[in-house]
Amino acid sequence: MTETKAVKSEQTRALIVQTALRLFRERGYEATTMRAIAKEAGVSVGNAYYYFGSKEELIQAYYDELQDEHVAACRAVLEAETEFAARLLGVLRARVDTMVPYHQFAGKFFKFAAEPTSPLNPFSAESGPARDSAVAIYREVVEGSDLKVDKEFRKELPELLWLYSMGIVLYWVHDSSPGCRKTYLLVERTVPLVNRMVAMSRIPGFKSVTRELVDIIRDVRA
């Protein structure tokens, strides 16, 4: 009985999320109320608030689901490849693959996520679980590869790669090309550059620059 209730609860939660995303797309984020979402989903307003305390929490749930999809989509390349560039390219392509179905209303969400005080901001405490999961993927890209770099730089590289991926996401939001073709092109053209820049960190003349970068990252984070 408990297991059945848990399954039904998860189904209701998923229904509310999908209904909210549809209404956000059709009516706009600001014009869509929790009452409207509950009515369309066929649940009471109180039940909707039981699962999600606000519209922001609904969008956060969407981000979490999208991140879970990305993690699953990365498995094949991470299990098959050991070359750093190939792993990074596969993970970024998978990132775009999982985002493309939501492209038509991504811009509507971005204006709220771009607000520094918004809980939807990728650097907010509320976005912490999704952010940590994303950085973990890039840590796996690094740790499972044949990459040889300075130990301290290696520790910080996953977060730098996540920030790089956020730049890709920002470009994707504004990409109007068919099938987001230009975003895929951006990934394919920039990954080799990132690979070369990371490889250069092993060159004696660049080690001091790399260590200074590590210091900057740690000072900013503190």
Side-chain angles (χ1 to χ4, degrees):
M1 181 68 71
T2 301
E3 185 176 347
T4 301
K5 287 179 66 177
V7 170
K8 185 176 180 180
S9 177
E10 186 56 36
Q11 290 174 340
T12 301
R13 186 179 188 277
L15 173 63
I16 293 171
V17 172
Q18 294 306 315
T19 301
L21 292 177
R22 176 172 60 81
L23 292 180
F24 292 157
R25 182 173 63 249
E26 294 173 357
R27 305 179 184 181
Y29 179 78
E30 293 173 306
T32 301
T33 64
M34 287 293 286
R35 182 174 296 278
I37 294 168
K39 181 178 180 181
E40 286 287 320
V43 301
S44 68
V45 176
N47 204 14
Y49 274 111
Y50 171 79
Y51 289 98
F52 302 99
S54 65
K55 291 193 294 183
E56 287 81 5
E57 287 187 16
L58 280 161
I59 300 302
Q60 195 62 60
Y62 154 69
Y63 287 160
D64 292 342
E65 287 186 9
L66 191 61
Q67 181 58 35
D68 289 343
E69 289 179 25
H70 183 218
V71 170
C74 291
R75 284 300 108 213
V77 68
L78 292 177
E79 290 173 3
E81 297 285 353
T82 57
E83 183 187 15
F84 171 70
R87 289 169 72 84
L88 180 59
L89 179 62
V91 165
L92 288 172
R93 279 177 174 165
R95 181 61 172 162
V96 181
D97 288 344
T98 56
M99 294 190 303
V100 165
Y102 306 99
H103 187 259
Q104 66 186 78
F105 56 92
K108 298 176 183 178
F109 293 163
F110 177 75
K111 67 179 181 179
F112 296 101
E115 172 59 45
T117 59
S118 171
L120 301 178
N121 188 298
F123 298 95
S124 71
E126 291 84 354
S127 296
R131 181 173 62 250
D132 291 344
S133 177
V135 173
I137 281 292
Y138 294 103
R139 184 172 295 110
E140 191 171 349
V141 167
V142 173
E143 296 304 325
S145 74
D146 55 7
L147 189 64
K148 293 180 175 60
V149 292
D150 178 82
K151 182 175 66 174
E152 295 304 311
F153 180 54
R154 190 183 189 93
K155 289 179 183 177
E156 304 300 336
L157 187 54
E159 189 165 347
L160 289 173
L161 293 176
W162 172 71
L163 289 171
Y164 161 50
S165 76
M166 292 301 292
I168 299 293
V169 172
L170 176 59
Y171 183 86
W172 167 79
V173 168
H174 298 279
D175 183 6
S176 60
S177 63
C180 299
R181 179 184 60 82
K182 290 185 178 180
T183 303
Y184 285 104
L185 179 61
L186 180 65
V187 169
E188 291 168 6
R189 296 293 295 273
T190 57
V191 165
L193 290 176
V194 171
N195 185 45
R196 287 201 291 272
M197 291 171 66
V198 170
M200 286 174 65
S201 69
R202 301 196 301 266
I203 300 174
F206 284 89
K207 283 187 177 180
S208 61
V209 176
T210 300
R211 287 170 184 167
E212 184 174 351
L213 176 60
V214 169
D215 288 341
I216 292 171
I217 294 169
R218 291 176 177 174
D219 286 344
V220 170
R221 185 190 297 138

